Every structure is written in C-alpha cells, then in structure tokens.
Amino acid sequence: MAASPKERFPSTVSFPFRKTGIEFLGSMFIKTPHAEKRYILFATCLVTRAVHLEVTAKLNTDDTIHALRRLFYRRGPPH
C-alpha cells in the first residue's frame, strides 16, 4: 500500500475544504416535469473526506466556473 499524500495530514489546524479535489459525475437525468440531463461537480475535502455536490447543466467552461464559485462561496477558497 502506498504512503498517504502529505496534503491529507496538515501540520496546522485548518478549515474543511482548504485542500480540495474535484471531479465530474454524470450524465444523469434529473426528474422535473420532463427529464433533463445534468452533471454533478463532486468536490471532496482531502483532510476530512467531507463531500460537496453542485449540479451543473453542461460540461462547458461557464457552468464549471459558476459551480466552482458556488463551492468557494459556501466553503471558502482552497489553498
């Protein structure tokens, strides 16, 4: 088994989501009056393993930036 990365074990106490990894999930069909294809931005804290999900309409640059801004607004910017 490989050694854990040092980002998982900070030397000082920090807030969750200061060290963050992101990934996209999808495509998924969200139930509305008609089914719509959506993607999910999956952000995980590397220290506490907490998870944050943001729904995006498309996998383009604008929707990704908006999802990241919502994440940073709620959880604070990562280092």
Side-chain angles (χ1 to χ4, degrees), residues 22 24 39-41 43 52-75:
I22 62 169
F24 271 100
Y39 300 90
I40 297 174
L41 177 93
H52 181 92
L53 304 174
E54 286 287 338
V55 178
T56 61
K58 300 175 187 170
L59 285 179
N60 61 15
T61 304
D62 289 335
D63 286 345
T64 302
I65 290 172
H66 289 302
L68 287 172
R69 285 182 180 168
R70 290 191 301 267
L71 169 69
F72 298 160
Y73 177 74
R74 290 187 183 109
R75 305 294 182 185

Side-chain angles (χ1 to χ4, degrees), residues 20-55:
T20 305
I22 62 169
E23 184 71 39
F24 271 100
L25 305 175
S27 64
M28 298 178 185
F29 288 97
I30 305 295
K31 188 174 181 180
T32 59
H34 57 279
E36 297 178 351
K37 186 189 288 189
R38 295 288 187 241
Y39 300 90
I40 297 174
L41 177 93
F42 179 82
T44 182
C45 175
L46 297 177
V47 177
T48 63
R49 305 303 291 166
V51 174
H52 181 92
L53 304 174
E54 286 287 338
V55 178

